[in-house]
Amino acid sequence: PVLGERSAAELTSDISILSPLPQHSCFSFRKLWAFTGPGFLMSIAYLDPGNIESDLQSGAVAGFKLLWVLMLATIIGLLLQRLAARLGVVTGLHLAEVCNRQYQKVPRIILWLMVELAIIGSDMQEVIGSAIAINLLSVGKIPLWGGVLITIADTFMFLFLDKYGLRKLEALFGFLITIMALTFGYEYITVKPSQEKLLKGLFIPYCQNCGTTQLEQAVGIVGAVIMPHNMYLHSALVKSRQVNRANKREIREANKYFFIESCIALFVSFIINIFVVTVFAEAFFEKTNADVNDVCVNASSPHSSLFPNNNETLEVDIYKGGVVLGCYFGPAALYIWAIGILAAGQSSTMTGTYSGQFVMEGFLNLRWSRFARVLLTRSIAITPTLFVSIFQDVEHLTGMNDFLNVLMSLQLPFALIPILTFTSLPSVMNDFANGVFWKVGGGLLILLICSINMYFVVTYVMSLNHLALYIGAAILSVIYLSFVAYLV
């Protein structure tokens, strides 16, 4: 069986679980279980702190009206992940390795730098989310910078578990996803959102009385859900299962089971995201700062000062979201929320480490030790985050998260265009190349996603209200669009 390069074999020291497999012509639960793992690791990106923050802001700003956007973004994400998994299964190479073989040196280096930027930006969000959770759990006794330093322990946890094979890490991620489901599910049961409004929001595409704020939030949902480095990760993770690529039937079977597993994994992540959106839609939609301030004062919350006593609409982030839950539903709701955020941050930062390893090895053909790779990426992510956390209060980090969301939105074409290009080439995929439907549909889908995210970026730059920043952004836009055109 073809396992790909050395690092893929190292990741799968216990791959013997796949042998022997029962020979069923239609469907086998045993085979599905054997292929289960990569999709759930991939789905972590749909549950990272950036997604959770987008969810709660969506609920607080638009109520239940944007649930259909979340569902549509998740379905689009599933279709794109299918392409990434097929590339890895059919070729035995992950996306970064194929880019290495197909692109010239200069565009390949630029592409690598762009993907690394996306990984570092995502890692910074995950570090911030973990640090905020630690601050909430310690009742503010551990400052934000202390929480950032504690997240360095992720490195050692990852390296320790990595010695025992990918299957053990998959079990850990399954455990962390379960924690998120239980904690955010607890908030859902406590708040008891309207089921009628939930179903209406999911299946009727509407947004009555929505303005610019709600539109920007809808765009933010798409940008938060579809992560560029996740395509590189998923195409590499599927290589951890034995597939005889000389046998077309085995390739079709692997593609089928990986797609089924991805459907299940993203359905679970979608349900967890729904929990968060509906909790804040039910409890905090159209609430003012004064409303929350009164409740927090009556609950003797030490965080009452976060909400000025005025009639402006409530604005929430991960930190304030936990505080308002504690004010309205008791301290247990706050601590359970923080545990869920901590699980999201811990799991997503470890999958980000895997993404970084695959990207560096694939694009540059480098063979770094995992310790060196983790140390480098974590240092790059933690250093600026640490400076921000020292000089900025925990409740004022939303601006940095907005900037990181814009950064990752800009990187999307550098994953989506290559994955559609290579899966459409018969020279790469042989008989498994995309048909006309996937080529046209995928192209339109990627155009839509990139247009939505460019709108998000333009809106963000316009909000800065500075001429020099406009000029700088215009120059960078010309360079950026030129490179995107080259990839197309």
Side-chain angles (χ1 to χ4, degrees), residues 385-406:
T385 311
L386 186 60
F387 277 108
V388 170
S389 63
I390 290 172
F391 297 108
Q392 190 71 282
D393 294 333
V394 67
E395 62 267 22
H396 296 117
L397 282 173
T398 303
M400 185 174 181
N401 268 324
D402 289 343
F403 171 75
L404 293 174
N405 281 333
V406 169

Side-chain angles (χ1 to χ4, degrees), residues 233-245:
L233 175 67
H234 200 192
S235 66
L237 289 173
V238 296
K239 292 171 57 180
S240 65
R241 300 306 195 262
Q242 284 183 318
V243 178
N244 180 6
R245 292 178 178 86

Side-chain angles (χ1 to χ4, degrees), residues 128-138 318 337-343:
I128 290 170
S130 295
I132 288 174
I134 291 169
N135 181 272
L136 287 171
L137 288 170
S138 66
I318 288 177
W337 169 261
I339 291 169
I341 297 298
L342 186 61

